[in-house]
Amino acid sequence: MKNNKGYRNSEGTESVGQAAKLAVIAGAITTLGDALATIAAGLALEDELKENESKNNDFDKLQKQIDDLNYEMKQLKKMFR
């Protein structure tokens, strides 16, 4: 009868050990997934910042063109007066 109890205890310990191993593996997979999600979010943010910078450059170019045209219009007005 003692052998039976001893067998049950080692089986219970073995299943606890397997559960602990699975918990460690699950934690590692979750950590890896979180790391990948963080990297993806960083890349998306970087792309968004580059796109905004490009748009700002386009707006600056347009503003310069408008300023140049205004200057030319003023010059033309002076000539026709």
PDB file of all heavy atoms in Angstrom, residues 6-32:
ATOM      1  N   GLY A   6       3.399   6.119  -2.801  1.00  0.00           N
ATOM      2  CA  GLY A   6       4.636   6.657  -3.351  1.00  0.00           C
ATOM      3  C   GLY A   6       4.523   6.858  -4.848  1.00  0.00           C
ATOM      4  O   GLY A   6       4.989   7.844  -5.400  1.00  0.00           O
ATOM      5  N   TYR A   7       3.889   5.947  -5.531  1.00  0.00           N
ATOM      6  CA  TYR A   7       3.697   6.046  -6.975  1.00  0.00           C
ATOM      7  C   TYR A   7       2.818   7.240  -7.304  1.00  0.00           C
ATOM      8  O   TYR A   7       3.110   8.007  -8.207  1.00  0.00           O
ATOM      9  CB  TYR A   7       3.094   4.741  -7.505  1.00  0.00           C
ATOM     10  CG  TYR A   7       2.835   4.770  -8.993  1.00  0.00           C
ATOM     11  CD1 TYR A   7       3.892   4.701  -9.897  1.00  0.00           C
ATOM     12  CD2 TYR A   7       1.540   4.887  -9.488  1.00  0.00           C
ATOM     13  CE1 TYR A   7       3.661   4.735 -11.248  1.00  0.00           C
ATOM     14  CE2 TYR A   7       1.308   4.921 -10.840  1.00  0.00           C
ATOM     15  CZ  TYR A   7       2.371   4.840 -11.721  1.00  0.00           C
ATOM     16  OH  TYR A   7       2.136   4.868 -13.056  1.00  0.00           O
ATOM     17  N   ARG A   8       1.763   7.423  -6.540  1.00  0.00           N
ATOM     18  CA  ARG A   8       0.860   8.557  -6.782  1.00  0.00           C
ATOM     19  C   ARG A   8       1.571   9.883  -6.533  1.00  0.00           C
ATOM     20  O   ARG A   8       1.379  10.837  -7.257  1.00  0.00           O
ATOM     21  CB  ARG A   8      -0.383   8.442  -5.898  1.00  0.00           C
ATOM     22  CG  ARG A   8      -1.344   7.402  -6.364  1.00  0.00           C
ATOM     23  CD  ARG A   8      -2.589   7.401  -5.528  1.00  0.00           C
ATOM     24  NE  ARG A   8      -3.440   6.294  -5.923  1.00  0.00           N
ATOM     25  CZ  ARG A   8      -4.429   5.824  -5.209  1.00  0.00           C
ATOM     26  NH1 ARG A   8      -4.706   6.359  -4.033  1.00  0.00           N
ATOM     27  NH2 ARG A   8      -5.156   4.834  -5.637  1.00  0.00           N
ATOM     28  N   ASN A   9       2.396   9.926  -5.495  1.00  0.00           N
ATOM     29  CA  ASN A   9       3.111  11.166  -5.200  1.00  0.00           C
ATOM     30  C   ASN A   9       4.087  11.525  -6.313  1.00  0.00           C
ATOM     31  O   ASN A   9       4.187  12.675  -6.703  1.00  0.00           O
ATOM     32  CB  ASN A   9       3.860  11.061  -3.870  1.00  0.00           C
ATOM     33  CG  ASN A   9       2.912  11.166  -2.685  1.00  0.00           C
ATOM     34  OD1 ASN A   9       1.807  11.668  -2.833  1.00  0.00           O
ATOM     35  ND2 ASN A   9       3.345  10.692  -1.541  1.00  0.00           N
ATOM     36  N   SER A  10       4.808  10.554  -6.827  1.00  0.00           N
ATOM     37  CA  SER A  10       5.762  10.863  -7.893  1.00  0.00           C
ATOM     38  C   SER A  10       5.025  11.251  -9.167  1.00  0.00           C
ATOM     39  O   SER A  10       5.485  12.103  -9.920  1.00  0.00           O
ATOM     40  CB  SER A  10       6.698   9.676  -8.139  1.00  0.00           C
ATOM     41  OG  SER A  10       5.981   8.591  -8.686  1.00  0.00           O
ATOM     42  N   GLU A  11       3.869  10.659  -9.403  1.00  0.00           N
ATOM     43  CA  GLU A  11       3.075  11.033 -10.579  1.00  0.00           C
ATOM     44  C   GLU A  11       2.561  12.452 -10.430  1.00  0.00           C
ATOM     45  O   GLU A  11       2.580  13.234 -11.374  1.00  0.00           O
ATOM     46  CB  GLU A  11       1.902  10.060 -10.754  1.00  0.00           C
ATOM     47  CG  GLU A  11       1.097  10.310 -12.014  1.00  0.00           C
ATOM     48  CD  GLU A  11      -0.025   9.304 -12.156  1.00  0.00           C
ATOM     49  OE1 GLU A  11       0.231   8.102 -12.091  1.00  0.00           O
ATOM     50  OE2 GLU A  11      -1.165   9.768 -12.336  1.00  0.00           O
ATOM     51  N   GLY A  12       2.117  12.804  -9.249  1.00  0.00           N
ATOM     52  CA  GLY A  12       1.639  14.167  -8.993  1.00  0.00           C
ATOM     53  C   GLY A  12       2.773  15.174  -9.130  1.00  0.00           C
ATOM     54  O   GLY A  12       2.604  16.253  -9.686  1.00  0.00           O
ATOM     55  N   THR A  13       3.952  14.828  -8.652  1.00  0.00           N
ATOM     56  CA  THR A  13       5.116  15.696  -8.764  1.00  0.00           C
ATOM     57  C   THR A  13       5.520  15.854 -10.221  1.00  0.00           C
ATOM     58  O   THR A  13       5.874  16.951 -10.668  1.00  0.00           O
ATOM     59  CB  THR A  13       6.295  15.114  -7.955  1.00  0.00           C
ATOM     60  OG1 THR A  13       5.881  14.934  -6.615  1.00  0.00           O
ATOM     61  CG2 THR A  13       7.489  16.029  -8.004  1.00  0.00           C
ATOM     62  N   GLU A  14       5.432  14.764 -10.962  1.00  0.00           N
ATOM     63  CA  GLU A  14       5.780  14.806 -12.378  1.00  0.00           C
ATOM     64  C   GLU A  14       4.827  15.717 -13.142  1.00  0.00           C
ATOM     65  O   GLU A  14       5.251  16.510 -13.977  1.00  0.00           O
ATOM     66  CB  GLU A  14       5.744  13.396 -12.976  1.00  0.00           C
ATOM     67  CG  GLU A  14       6.205  13.337 -14.414  1.00  0.00           C
ATOM     68  CD  GLU A  14       6.204  11.919 -14.946  1.00  0.00           C
ATOM     69  OE1 GLU A  14       6.622  11.018 -14.209  1.00  0.00           O
ATOM     70  OE2 GLU A  14       5.762  11.742 -16.096  1.00  0.00           O
ATOM     71  N   SER A  15       3.531  15.644 -12.850  1.00  0.00           N
ATOM     72  CA  SER A  15       2.575  16.489 -13.557  1.00  0.00           C
ATOM     73  C   SER A  15       2.748  17.951 -13.159  1.00  0.00           C
ATOM     74  O   SER A  15       2.568  18.845 -13.983  1.00  0.00           O
ATOM     75  CB  SER A  15       1.139  16.024 -13.311  1.00  0.00           C
ATOM     76  OG  SER A  15       0.780  16.187 -11.955  1.00  0.00           O
ATOM     77  N   VAL A  16       3.133  18.215 -11.907  1.00  0.00           N
ATOM     78  CA  VAL A  16       3.409  19.584 -11.485  1.00  0.00           C
ATOM     79  C   VAL A  16       4.651  20.099 -12.220  1.00  0.00           C
ATOM     80  O   VAL A  16       4.693  21.238 -12.679  1.00  0.00           O
ATOM     81  CB  VAL A  16       3.604  19.664  -9.944  1.00  0.00           C
ATOM     82  CG1 VAL A  16       4.153  21.023  -9.540  1.00  0.00           C
ATOM     83  CG2 VAL A  16       2.301  19.387  -9.234  1.00  0.00           C
ATOM     84  N   GLY A  17       5.655  19.237 -12.365  1.00  0.00           N
ATOM     85  CA  GLY A  17       6.860  19.616 -13.092  1.00  0.00           C
ATOM     86  C   GLY A  17       6.564  19.914 -14.545  1.00  0.00           C
ATOM     87  O   GLY A  17       7.086  20.890 -15.111  1.00  0.00           O
ATOM     88  N   GLN A  18       5.715  19.118 -15.157  1.00  0.00           N
ATOM     89  CA  GLN A  18       5.343  19.356 -16.560  1.00  0.00           C
ATOM     90  C   GLN A  18       4.547  20.656 -16.681  1.00  0.00           C
ATOM     91  O   GLN A  18       4.742  21.420 -17.616  1.00  0.00           O
ATOM     92  CB  GLN A  18       4.527  18.179 -17.097  1.00  0.00           C
ATOM     93  CG  GLN A  18       5.349  16.942 -17.361  1.00  0.00           C
ATOM     94  CD  GLN A  18       4.480  15.782 -17.852  1.00  0.00           C
ATOM     95  OE1 GLN A  18       3.256  15.815 -17.706  1.00  0.00           O
ATOM     96  NE2 GLN A  18       5.128  14.773 -18.412  1.00  0.00           N
ATOM     97  N   ALA A  19       3.661  20.887 -15.723  1.00  0.00           N
ATOM     98  CA  ALA A  19       2.878  22.120 -15.748  1.00  0.00           C
ATOM     99  C   ALA A  19       3.796  23.337 -15.609  1.00  0.00           C
ATOM    100  O   ALA A  19       3.610  24.351 -16.288  1.00  0.00           O
ATOM    101  CB  ALA A  19       1.839  22.106 -14.636  1.00  0.00           C
ATOM    102  N   ALA A  20       4.793  23.229 -14.744  1.00  0.00           N
ATOM    103  CA  ALA A  20       5.738  24.337 -14.568  1.00  0.00           C
ATOM    104  C   ALA A  20       6.535  24.573 -15.846  1.00  0.00           C
ATOM    105  O   ALA A  20       6.751  25.720 -16.248  1.00  0.00           O
ATOM    106  CB  ALA A  20       6.676  24.046 -13.401  1.00  0.00           C
ATOM    107  N   LYS A  21       6.962  23.504 -16.500  1.00  0.00           N
ATOM    108  CA  LYS A  21       7.708  23.630 -17.764  1.00  0.00           C
ATOM    109  C   LYS A  21       6.833  24.296 -18.824  1.00  0.00           C
ATOM    110  O   LYS A  21       7.281  25.178 -19.562  1.00  0.00           O
ATOM    111  CB  LYS A  21       8.178  22.267 -18.244  1.00  0.00           C
ATOM    112  CG  LYS A  21       9.329  21.697 -17.445  1.00  0.00           C
ATOM    113  CD  LYS A  21       9.710  20.321 -17.956  1.00  0.00           C
ATOM    114  CE  LYS A  21      10.772  19.674 -17.073  1.00  0.00           C
ATOM    115  NZ  LYS A  21      11.101  18.311 -17.519  1.00  0.00           N
ATOM    116  N   LEU A  22       5.582  23.855 -18.893  1.00  0.00           N
ATOM    117  CA  LEU A  22       4.667  24.451 -19.863  1.00  0.00           C
ATOM    118  C   LEU A  22       4.434  25.930 -19.560  1.00  0.00           C
ATOM    119  O   LEU A  22       4.332  26.757 -20.483  1.00  0.00           O
ATOM    120  CB  LEU A  22       3.335  23.701 -19.888  1.00  0.00           C
ATOM    121  CG  LEU A  22       3.354  22.362 -20.605  1.00  0.00           C
ATOM    122  CD1 LEU A  22       2.000  21.664 -20.440  1.00  0.00           C
ATOM    123  CD2 LEU A  22       3.665  22.538 -22.076  1.00  0.00           C
ATOM    124  N   ALA A  23       4.350  26.273 -18.278  1.00  0.00           N
ATOM    125  CA  ALA A  23       4.164  27.675 -17.897  1.00  0.00           C
ATOM    126  C   ALA A  23       5.364  28.512 -18.313  1.00  0.00           C
ATOM    127  O   ALA A  23       5.215  29.645 -18.798  1.00  0.00           O
ATOM    128  CB  ALA A  23       3.929  27.787 -16.395  1.00  0.00           C
ATOM    129  N   VAL A  24       6.560  27.973 -18.156  1.00  0.00           N
ATOM    130  CA  VAL A  24       7.772  28.690 -18.566  1.00  0.00           C
ATOM    131  C   VAL A  24       7.792  28.868 -20.077  1.00  0.00           C
ATOM    132  O   VAL A  24       8.094  29.951 -20.590  1.00  0.00           O
ATOM    133  CB  VAL A  24       9.039  27.951 -18.080  1.00  0.00           C
ATOM    134  CG1 VAL A  24      10.288  28.530 -18.728  1.00  0.00           C
ATOM    135  CG2 VAL A  24       9.148  28.014 -16.570  1.00  0.00           C
ATOM    136  N   ILE A  25       7.459  27.823 -20.810  1.00  0.00           N
ATOM    137  CA  ILE A  25       7.419  27.904 -22.281  1.00  0.00           C
ATOM    138  C   ILE A  25       6.370  28.918 -22.726  1.00  0.00           C
ATOM    139  O   ILE A  25       6.615  29.747 -23.603  1.00  0.00           O
ATOM    140  CB  ILE A  25       7.155  26.510 -22.898  1.00  0.00           C
ATOM    141  CG1 ILE A  25       8.371  25.600 -22.659  1.00  0.00           C
ATOM    142  CG2 ILE A  25       6.853  26.621 -24.381  1.00  0.00           C
ATOM    143  CD1 ILE A  25       8.129  24.146 -22.996  1.00  0.00           C
ATOM    144  N   ALA A  26       5.192  28.867 -22.109  1.00  0.00           N
ATOM    145  CA  ALA A  26       4.127  29.817 -22.458  1.00  0.00           C
ATOM    146  C   ALA A  26       4.565  31.246 -22.159  1.00  0.00           C
ATOM    147  O   ALA A  26       4.314  32.163 -22.949  1.00  0.00           O
ATOM    148  CB  ALA A  26       2.851  29.480 -21.695  1.00  0.00           C
ATOM    149  N   GLY A  27       5.233  31.443 -21.036  1.00  0.00           N
ATOM    150  CA  GLY A  27       5.733  32.778 -20.701  1.00  0.00           C
ATOM    151  C   GLY A  27       6.756  33.272 -21.706  1.00  0.00           C
ATOM    152  O   GLY A  27       6.753  34.444 -22.092  1.00  0.00           O
ATOM    153  N   ALA A  28       7.640  32.372 -22.138  1.00  0.00           N
ATOM    154  CA  ALA A  28       8.650  32.745 -23.130  1.00  0.00           C
ATOM    155  C   ALA A  28       7.997  33.112 -24.460  1.00  0.00           C
ATOM    156  O   ALA A  28       8.379  34.099 -25.097  1.00  0.00           O
ATOM    157  CB  ALA A  28       9.636  31.597 -23.324  1.00  0.00           C
ATOM    158  N   ILE A  29       7.004  32.347 -24.864  1.00  0.00           N
ATOM    159  CA  ILE A  29       6.304  32.637 -26.125  1.00  0.00           C
ATOM    160  C   ILE A  29       5.565  33.967 -26.026  1.00  0.00           C
ATOM    161  O   ILE A  29       5.590  34.775 -26.957  1.00  0.00           O
ATOM    162  CB  ILE A  29       5.348  31.484 -26.493  1.00  0.00           C
ATOM    163  CG1 ILE A  29       6.165  30.248 -26.879  1.00  0.00           C
ATOM    164  CG2 ILE A  29       4.405  31.888 -27.613  1.00  0.00           C
ATOM    165  CD1 ILE A  29       5.338  28.990 -27.053  1.00  0.00           C
ATOM    166  N   THR A  30       4.934  34.203 -24.890  1.00  0.00           N
ATOM    167  CA  THR A  30       4.222  35.468 -24.690  1.00  0.00           C
ATOM    168  C   THR A  30       5.187  36.639 -24.725  1.00  0.00           C
ATOM    169  O   THR A  30       4.904  37.674 -25.348  1.00  0.00           O
ATOM    170  CB  THR A  30       3.477  35.440 -23.341  1.00  0.00           C
ATOM    171  OG1 THR A  30       2.549  34.357 -23.355  1.00  0.00           O
ATOM    172  CG2 THR A  30       2.735  36.729 -23.083  1.00  0.00           C
ATOM    173  N   THR A  31       6.332  36.495 -24.078  1.00  0.00           N
ATOM    174  CA  THR A  31       7.341  37.554 -24.070  1.00  0.00           C
ATOM    175  C   THR A  31       7.846  37.820 -25.484  1.00  0.00           C
ATOM    176  O   THR A  31       8.002  38.980 -25.892  1.00  0.00           O
ATOM    177  CB  THR A  31       8.515  37.172 -23.148  1.00  0.00           C
ATOM    178  OG1 THR A  31       7.999  36.948 -21.835  1.00  0.00           O
ATOM    179  CG2 THR A  31       9.568  38.251 -23.112  1.00  0.00           C
ATOM    180  N   LEU A  32       8.083  36.767 -26.244  1.00  0.00           N
ATOM    181  CA  LEU A  32       8.524  36.923 -27.629  1.00  0.00           C
ATOM    182  C   LEU A  32       7.456  37.642 -28.457  1.00  0.00           C
ATOM    183  O   LEU A  32       7.765  38.545 -29.243  1.00  0.00           O
ATOM    184  CB  LEU A  32       8.838  35.557 -28.245  1.00  0.00           C
ATOM    185  CG  LEU A  32       9.292  35.549 -29.695  1.00  0.00           C
ATOM    186  CD1 LEU A  32      10.591  36.330 -29.861  1.00  0.00           C
ATOM    187  CD2 LEU A  32       9.466  34.130 -30.193  1.00  0.00           C
TER     188      LEU A  32
END
